[in-house]
Amino acid sequence: MRWGLLDGGGCSGKNLVSTNGYISQWGQFTAQIEPIASAVPYMLASGNHERDWPGTGSLYENNDSGGECGVLAEIMFFVPAENKVKYWYSTDYGMFRFCIADSEHDWREGTEQYKFIEHCLTSVDRQRQPWLIFLSHRVLVYSSDLSYAVQGSFGEPMAKESLQKLWQKYKVDIAIYGHVHNYERACPICENQCTADEKRYYKGSLKGMIHVVAGVGGASLSPFTTLKTKWSLYRDCDYGFVKLTAFDHSNLLFEYKKSSDRKVHDSFRKSRDYRDILTCTVDSCPATTLAS
């Protein structure tokens, strides 16, 4: 299964820039994604170039949307959100549950979106969807992109306190972000600490979530800081995409492929007893799962 994050007009072509209010850019973008979007589910995570504009309710008061204020993305692409102005939603696909946040609206504890995120995580039936994936446009935590490093935050600074406890409590497997235009994979992390030294094959209960930045869809690439972090396992400044393959309820393959050669340049596997993520005791867990 392949999953993409919209980044304001980026796609597989290397010369596109963010739409920023120019309808012609939307025409180019939708034409280029049509072969994919017409054949497989194509779901979005709204970002700054779709939504942000002063005085419109976006969390970030900037001009990045060029005055679009989310309207074009809301009417051009279907997502199962209860209110498209609030572009957060959940969707199940095969053995995956995706919880898609709207990083341009407030996600901090006590907000409407925070309550949605917790409901999305707690309501999943992990006998049917054992693999739980969190997505948002902005990198909520753990990116060594130069722009974040200059700020000294390595991600949106408000997220760690608000969301990490949810990810840990509900045993989220992977978080995938866009926004910064490069690729980076972090170790499994809980409370700002790596919970495993392994880099390629994770076996058993990790007690931490893996963070991936996959902002390599086509916009101009962004450099990394020269600072070295303990949590960053793989960095790449090139165009590509990520692919998730669930073999069954206990085995998952993650791959990062470059657009230039379609070869795998980074990957890892997760293997576990499915009972590790069910809310039951070992003795009371069913012997098999509906995802088998």
Side-chain angles (χ1 to χ4, degrees), residues 95-200:
M95 285 183 280
F96 292 99
R97 157 66 61 94
F98 294 95
C99 296
I100 296 91
D102 182 345
S103 63
E104 309 315 299
H105 283 85
D106 199 342
W107 62 79
R108 288 171 289 183
E109 191 167 2
T111 63
E112 182 181 1
Q113 181 167 200
Y114 182 92
K115 295 175 183 177
F116 156 77
I117 293 171
E118 183 165 29
H119 176 73
C120 182
L121 299 178
T122 191
S123 63
V124 60
D125 181 353
R126 298 193 80 165
Q127 288 195 61
R128 289 183 168 86
Q129 281 80 41
W131 300 104
L132 186 51
I133 313 297
F134 178 88
L135 299 103
S136 77
H137 177 75
R138 289 179 185 265
V139 183
L140 298 186
V141 285
Y142 307 114
S143 166
S144 54
D145 182 77
L146 181 61
S147 61
Y148 280 128
V150 169
Q151 301 171 18
S153 59
F154 293 107
E156 302 299 328
M158 299 177 288
K160 290 183 180 180
E161 294 76 14
S162 297
L163 294 178
Q164 286 196 120
K165 58 185 177 183
L166 287 183
W167 295 330
Q168 183 65 21
K169 180 178 180 180
Y170 298 108
K171 300 180 181 179
V172 180
D173 292 293
I174 306 172
I176 304 176
Y177 314 104
H179 193 56
V180 297
H181 302 165
N182 49 45
Y183 171 81
E184 184 171 21
R185 175 168 62 94
C187 62
I189 297 176
C190 176
E191 297 181 356
N192 304 321
Q193 299 294 324
C194 290
T195 60
D197 295 328
E198 176 59 48
K199 297 181 180 180
R200 297 292 182 185

Side-chain angles (χ1 to χ4, degrees), residues 252-269:
L252 176 75
L253 172 64
F254 174 97
E255 297 172 298
Y256 161 63
K257 296 185 177 184
K258 289 192 179 187
S259 298
S260 57
D261 58 14
R262 299 299 177 98
K263 294 181 179 179
V264 176
H265 289 261
D266 182 41
S267 67
F268 67 85
R269 299 180 71 97

Side-chain angles (χ1 to χ4, degrees), residues 29 42 106 111 134 155 211 245 280:
F29 173 66
Y42 193 90
D106 199 342
T111 63
F134 178 88
H211 297 261
T245 304
C280 58

Side-chain angles (χ1 to χ4, degrees), residues 49 52 134 188 214 239 254:
H49 289 292
D52 292 358
F134 178 88
Y239 299 98
F254 174 97

Side-chain angles (χ1 to χ4, degrees), residues 33-47:
I33 68 168
E34 184 178 3
I36 297 174
S38 62
V40 298
Y42 193 90
M43 313 300 286
L44 312 182
S46 181

